[in-house]
Amino acid sequence: MYEREKLWARELCRYAGKEEAFFEDFWKRLSADEEVMTEFSYYLEHQNFLCRANVEGYTVVDIMVWQMDHFKAQMDRGKYAMKQDGDTMLLMAFDTFLKMKQDKYPYLQKLQGETGTDYPGKTF
């Protein structure tokens, strides 16, 4: 069961340059959470988000948007490490979402307090 998803998860991790230990941890958490696994499977099949799994109203898409805000802020500073790397962003969004489901409060604070966008008076 979920062999296709496991292969895809392994390839995403490999593509992102993650160690085998990262993959094993990610897969263990993903395969233990039926709700997030459904989201992951849906994305694999449709290349779109189902957005049924949520934590306090936040979905994997919200995590992606939050991460992209941070990515754009890094680009503003001349750091282009993830430029055009949607697969890594997707992997990290699912990874962050799984972590958020385990301990939501640190992530809720970040999502509500860190925009990633530079603006006058912003504290980092």
Side-chain angles (χ1 to χ4, degrees), residues 76-120:
D76 289 346
R77 295 181 190 104
K79 299 176 184 175
Y80 300 97
M82 288 182 67
K83 185 177 183 181
Q84 299 174 336
D85 194 353
D87 290 335
T88 298
M89 287 183 182
L90 179 70
L91 171 65
M92 299 316 294
F94 273 101
D95 182 62
T96 299
F97 190 71
L98 286 164
K99 290 174 181 173
M100 186 176 174
K101 285 194 77 180
Q102 292 175 340
D103 184 11
K104 66 183 174 183
Y105 295 108
Y107 296 97
L108 289 174
Q109 285 181 319
K110 289 178 181 183
L111 283 162
Q112 294 167 358
E114 296 178 2
T115 63
T117 305
D118 290 336
Y119 54 86

Side-chain angles (χ1 to χ4, degrees), residues 58-73:
Y58 291 99
T59 67
V60 173
V61 172
D62 296 306
I63 301 295
M64 288 271 305
V65 170
W66 175 68
Q67 288 177 338
M68 288 167 63
D69 279 347
H70 282 274
F71 168 68
K72 287 187 276 184

